Amino acid sequence: MPVSIVINNYNYGRFLGEAIRSALEQTLSALEVIVVDDGSTDNSREVIESFGSQIQAIFQPNGGQAAAFNTGILAAKGDWIWLLDADDSLKQDAVRQAIELTAPGISRIAMGMEQIAADGTRIGIQLPNGGICFEGSLRDVMLEHGGLPSTPTSGNLFAREALLSILPVPEDSFRICADAYLFVKSGKCGSTRLDPRIVANYLIHGENNFSRADGGTPNPKALAKELDNVLLTLGLLDDYGQTLSPTDHRKILRFWIGDQVLLAVIRAKLGKAPHPRLTEWSWLRIIGEFFSTLLLSPQPIKIRIQKCRKVIKLALKHG
């Protein structure tokens, strides 16, 4: 079952070489390594061309992450597709470990990533769903195991057939965070398999859309992006929920509001993020959602209390 590695890049020339090398130096070679450069204006072209015929290079005008995904997926020939962000890199044995988990009926395999500082220091491990092993529907993962398995892009292997069936990723809506579209939509095409083994490095370099190496508060623009992402994902989950029972549909929406939307809205309001949707979220509505989450969320009571503590901590920090 050959794997295509598709690297999406925009102005990450300083990291891109390491991403490409990590794809080329796998213990189990990929069928192909494709680099889609989405209109970079830095030295990315020079870096890409230095690898010559070892990779397939595609240069296109800037259209955002969704546009790069659409191009790369359509160009890939492998049965399985690994979408690698240009500022991340794969562990040397990543393809071999992931391919062992493939099977008919699986649309996505989500594996672990390790957070790495710009100087190479290991600063943490990021795992899907607390490091559990699981295979099942997206509904089962969310309601029985407490979360949307959303390890960043570079920790996921997708069945090519599943991706082709859900293309194109809407380019206007998903200039960033296009992985959220793939995570949810691929859930309609087959089961999701979770495995905690670390297969990729998630580089924290100070310019990530969401993560910060120092643990500080993101700037207002980053908070607005975070809110965009969780609200777009809420819409995707609403669409997915239409395929389930009304009860499960409500539970999934309630889960996502309590698990992600509520916290993102509070952070955005406290951080004075420039986001038009914030006017829809009065503090009265937030308080109502807060108590609804505490009482009605499908998550275990321990998890609900942890989420509520996060909300209280945010309020006290900025109050």
Side-chain angles (χ1 to χ4, degrees):
M1 291 186 180
V3 173
S4 296
I5 300 176
V6 176
I7 302 173
N8 69 96
N9 175 68
Y10 175 66
N11 282 347
Y12 272 167
R14 61 197 182 282
F15 309 123
L16 181 57
E18 178 60 26
I20 295 174
R21 281 189 290 273
S22 76
L24 292 172
E25 295 174 358
Q26 290 295 301
T27 55
L28 179 62
S29 297
L31 170 69
E32 58 192 353
V33 176
I34 299 169
V35 181
V36 180
D37 184 78
D38 192 52
S40 294
T41 57
D42 63 356
N43 68 328
S44 291
R45 179 179 283 270
E46 179 183 346
V47 173
I48 293 168
E49 291 179 343
S50 72
F51 287 91
S53 61
Q54 296 180 85
I55 63 175
Q56 178 183 345
I58 301 174
F59 298 94
Q60 65 182 32
N62 180 251
Q65 190 179 44
F69 281 179
N70 289 335
T71 297
I73 292 167
L74 289 174
K77 299 180 179 65
D79 296 328
W80 294 84
I81 298 177
W82 205 311
L83 296 173
L84 176 62
D85 286 337
D87 56 340
D88 296 333
S89 59
L90 297 177
K91 303 289 189 182
Q92 197 168 24
D93 209 29
V95 169
R96 185 194 63 79
Q97 291 191 67
I99 207 68
E100 291 176 354
L101 300 174
T102 60
I106 294 176
S107 61
R108 178 165 73 103
I109 297 168
M111 301 185 73
M113 297 185 68
E114 184 171 27
Q115 294 179 327
I116 303 292
D119 63 1
T121 304
R122 296 178 176 180
I123 58 175
I125 293 175
Q126 183 164 349
L127 295 171
N129 293 75
I132 65 171
C133 287
F134 177 77
E135 180 187 341
S137 69
L138 181 60
R139 176 263 176 211
D140 294 341
V141 173
M142 293 189 69
L143 298 185
E144 296 179 17
H145 294 276
L148 177 63
S150 53
T151 295
T153 308
S154 304
N156 296 270
L157 183 68
F158 294 88
R160 178 174 180 269
E161 183 178 349
L163 291 182
L164 291 178
S165 71
I166 61 177
L167 288 189
V169 183
E171 296 180 7
D172 290 340
S173 300
F174 293 96
R175 289 190 61 85
I176 64 169
C177 304
D179 51 357
Y181 178 91
L182 300 180
F183 294 161
V184 177
K185 291 291 187 179
S186 66
K188 290 185 175 183
C189 308
S191 61
T192 298
R193 174 168 280 183
L194 311 182
D195 191 286
R197 282 178 285 180
I198 305 297
V199 293
N201 298 314
Y202 183 71
L203 185 65
I204 305 296
H205 48 74
E207 297 178 24
N208 308 79
N209 280 317
F210 306 112
S211 299
R212 289 172 56 95
D214 60 5
T217 302
N219 61 42
K221 187 176 179 180
L223 291 169
K225 287 181 179 180
E226 177 190 24
L227 183 54
D228 268 334
N229 183 34
V230 297
L231 291 176
L232 283 168
T233 305
L234 180 65
L236 293 169
L237 291 171
D238 188 22
D239 178 66
Y240 172 72
Q242 303 289 339
T243 67
L244 307 175
S245 71
T247 298
D248 284 345
H249 186 185
R250 287 193 299 271
K251 285 182 178 179
I252 281 179
L253 295 185
R254 171 55 53 197
F255 161 78
W256 191 250
I257 289 171
D259 191 69
Q260 295 291 331
V261 175
L262 184 59
L263 291 174
V265 168
I266 293 174
R267 281 193 288 262
K269 285 183 78 72
L270 293 175
K272 302 186 186 308
H275 197 291
R277 295 288 298 276
L278 284 178
T279 58
E280 302 173 19
W281 288 81
S282 66
W283 285 109
L284 183 61
R285 180 183 177 188
I286 290 172
I287 292 171
E289 293 287 359
F290 176 88
F291 286 106
S292 293
T293 295
L294 183 63
L295 296 172
L296 302 175
S297 171
Q299 290 182 298
I301 185 64
K302 180 179 179 181
I303 301 298
R304 284 182 270 168
I305 291 173
Q306 289 174 355
K307 297 296 180 185
C308 290
R309 284 175 177 168
K310 282 187 179 181
V311 172
I312 294 171
K313 185 177 179 180
L314 277 171
L316 292 175
K317 179 178 179 181
H318 296 276

